[in-house]
């Protein structure tokens, strides 16, 4: 089971004693700051929760699954998410 953005905003509003409008503004600002910093190559770390950083990916040879033909995949960037201790404990049920 998962929750969508609307449900997340409602949960944040309830936990923090905010209006849904304020919680939506918070979530939007958090997303903007995260995207802005990761796009600049800066890591964002929230102790106990998570770390997000941009990582380089080298050029490599791939294979077209439909034809089996080899293709060259250019170098680029990806995103690495590291789970913090609070999330690890929650996932393990401890």
């Amino acid at each position: 089971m998962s929750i969508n953005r609307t449900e997340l905003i409602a949960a944040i509003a309830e936990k923090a004693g905010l209006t849904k409008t304020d919680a939506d503004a918070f979530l939007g600002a958090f997303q903007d700051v995260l995207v802005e910093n990761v796009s600049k190559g800066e890591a964002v770390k929230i102790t106990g929760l998570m770390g997000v950083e941009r990582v380089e990916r080298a050029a490599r040879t791939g294979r077209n699954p439909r034809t089996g033909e080899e293709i060259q995949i250019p170098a680029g960037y990806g995103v690495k998410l590291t789970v913090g201790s609070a999330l690890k404990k929650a996932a393990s049920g401890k």
Side-chain angles (χ1 to χ4, degrees), residues 35-42 54:
V35 169
E36 190 177 297
N37 285 288
V38 169
S39 69
K40 288 190 243 178
E42 298 174 358
R54 183 173 80 173

Side-chain angles (χ1 to χ4, degrees), residues 33-92:
V33 169
L34 194 63
V35 169
E36 190 177 297
N37 285 288
V38 169
S39 69
K40 288 190 243 178
E42 298 174 358
V44 176
K45 297 184 183 199
I46 304 169
T47 303
L49 185 62
M50 67 178 177
V52 181
E53 62 183 307
R54 183 173 80 173
V55 293
E56 290 186 45
R57 295 208 174 152
R60 61 197 187 277
T61 302
R63 189 171 298 278
N64 181 331
R66 187 171 290 170
T67 64
E69 176 186 2
E70 284 192 357
I71 57 172
Q72 292 301 313
I73 302 170
Y77 296 101
V79 176
K80 177 182 173 185
L81 178 71
T82 306
V83 179
S85 60
L87 281 179
K88 284 181 185 177
K89 285 180 185 175
S92 69

Side-chain angles (χ1 to χ4, degrees), residues 9 13 18-28:
I9 289 168
L18 301 171
T19 65
K20 287 183 182 179
T21 303
D22 290 341
D24 186 36
F26 160 77
L27 195 56

Side-chain angles (χ1 to χ4, degrees), residues 5-19:
R5 182 182 174 98
T6 304
E7 294 166 337
L8 180 59
I9 289 168
I12 291 170
E14 184 179 327
K15 288 262 186 191
L18 301 171
T19 65

